[in-house]
Amino acid sequence: MKKNHLVKYLLISPSLPVGGFCYSEGLESYLKIKNLEESVHIRDLITNELKIGQIRIEAKCLIEFFDIFVELKVANNVKNNKRRLLSLDKWLLSFRDSVEIRDQQTQMAKSLFELTKEFGFEYLYDKNKNISWSLAWSWACFSFQINKLEMIENFIYAWTANQLSAAIRLIPMGSIKAQTIQLELLDLISEVSQEIVDSNINDLYVGNISLSMAQQNHNDLYTKLFRN
């Protein structure tokens, strides 16, 4: 496929067939526990996740995966790099605290791999059900020659957009208000993205425990967004 700088928008298109727009990643059960009903609460929740949540770890892993793909492309220490790739992927999936959340991640990864294959970039190794969404996203960006900063920005933007899409159905919240919140988050997305690019993975931490705990109850309300 010929390189075009607009290809990065494929990954944040609402028509991307990965199902991300259908998942609340624990937001549904979190809202039930906390009884949050105002849009400002959703904005604050997303802001906290961007500042101290596990999305930061996942975003940083995009770069780690990307660097390994670069090494593999030039056949540098293939055996060790493949081991690093699989080990990091398993470690990342272990952050997801419920079977349903892990299933979401692997389903979205499978769909994205199918899309990149359709565009002529088949994944290097045999795929199994345990491949993470972050690995698939990084592979797509590596294949499409998207630079690291744009890869992170797109990833975080897509995540916030999906959370707001879920919130529209859950509170309910108007789409105009959701777009206003998305606009308010743009500077933070840019700031966090640059911070992640510049940081070492060992210097990042996760502090948003409440949302992680909410994910453990995700299975109880798993189908509501699909029914809506």
Side-chain angles (χ1 to χ4, degrees):
M1 185 176 70
K2 183 178 179 181
K3 182 179 179 181
N4 187 303
H5 73 282
L6 295 177
V7 73
K8 62 188 176 185
Y9 296 115
L10 285 173
L11 296 178
I12 56 176
S13 169
S15 63
L16 184 66
V18 298
F21 58 89
C22 295
Y23 296 107
S24 71
E25 297 203 352
L27 179 63
E28 193 165 352
S29 57
Y30 187 83
L31 293 180
K32 181 181 180 182
I33 295 170
K34 293 293 185 177
N35 193 29
L36 305 182
E37 298 180 351
E38 297 182 19
S39 58
V40 65
H41 297 149
I42 299 298
R43 183 198 64 198
D44 292 345
L45 184 64
I46 293 174
T47 297
N48 288 337
E49 181 68 7
L50 294 180
K51 289 181 176 180
I52 59 174
Q54 66 186 27
I55 188 68
R56 296 164 62 85
I57 302 294
E58 295 176 357
K60 185 61 183 181
C61 284
L62 295 175
I63 297 179
E64 302 291 316
F65 288 133
F66 195 100
D67 289 339
I68 295 174
F69 291 140
V70 171
E71 292 290 306
L72 290 170
K73 183 178 181 180
V74 296
N76 280 346
N77 205 353
V78 174
K79 185 176 180 179
N80 183 58
N81 277 315
K82 182 179 179 180
R83 186 184 301 114
R84 286 174 56 210
L85 191 74
L86 297 176
S87 176
L88 180 61
D89 192 47
K90 289 180 180 180
W91 175 78
L92 187 58
L93 279 174
S94 71
F95 271 85
R96 296 298 187 165
D97 296 315
S98 73
V99 172
E100 288 73 23
I101 295 294
R102 290 193 293 273
D103 286 347
Q104 166 204 321
Q105 292 282 297
T106 55
Q107 179 273 315
M108 291 167 64
K110 180 181 178 181
S111 296
L112 187 52
F113 277 132
E114 292 175 355
L115 181 66
T116 52
K117 180 181 179 180
E118 186 70 21
F119 291 156
F121 302 105
E122 186 165 8
Y123 185 56
L124 295 169
Y125 304 111
D126 292 335
K127 298 180 289 297
N128 57 53
K129 63 180 180 180
N130 295 320
I131 290 180
S132 70
W133 170 237
S134 294
L135 190 151
W137 187 284
S138 185
W139 171 249
C141 291
F142 173 77
S143 300
F144 298 157
Q145 300 179 51
I146 298 172
N147 69 52
K148 292 178 181 179
L149 179 58
E150 290 181 334
M151 172 175 67
I152 300 298
E153 288 178 335
N154 281 21
F155 182 77
I156 294 177
Y157 182 95
W159 180 83
T160 59
N162 287 339
Q163 292 295 286
L164 289 169
S165 178
I168 289 174
R169 295 161 176 78
L170 293 171
I171 294 182
M173 177 174 66
S175 58
I176 292 178
K177 186 59 182 179
Q179 288 294 321
T180 300
I181 294 174
Q182 186 76 73
L183 178 63
E184 293 172 350
L185 291 170
L186 292 183
D187 287 341
L188 179 60
I189 291 173
S190 296
E191 177 186 329
V192 169
S193 298
Q194 188 64 61
E195 179 186 347
I196 289 171
V197 169
D198 295 338
S199 67
N200 185 290
I201 192 170
N202 295 320
D203 295 329
L204 297 176
Y205 63 91
V206 174
N208 199 0
I209 304 300
S210 57
L211 189 57
S212 297
M213 292 178 66
Q215 291 180 1
Q216 298 180 35
N217 299 316
H218 189 67
N219 59 312
D220 296 333
L221 298 166
Y222 184 65
T223 60
K224 183 177 178 181
L225 289 182
F226 290 95
R227 293 198 305 270
N228 287 353

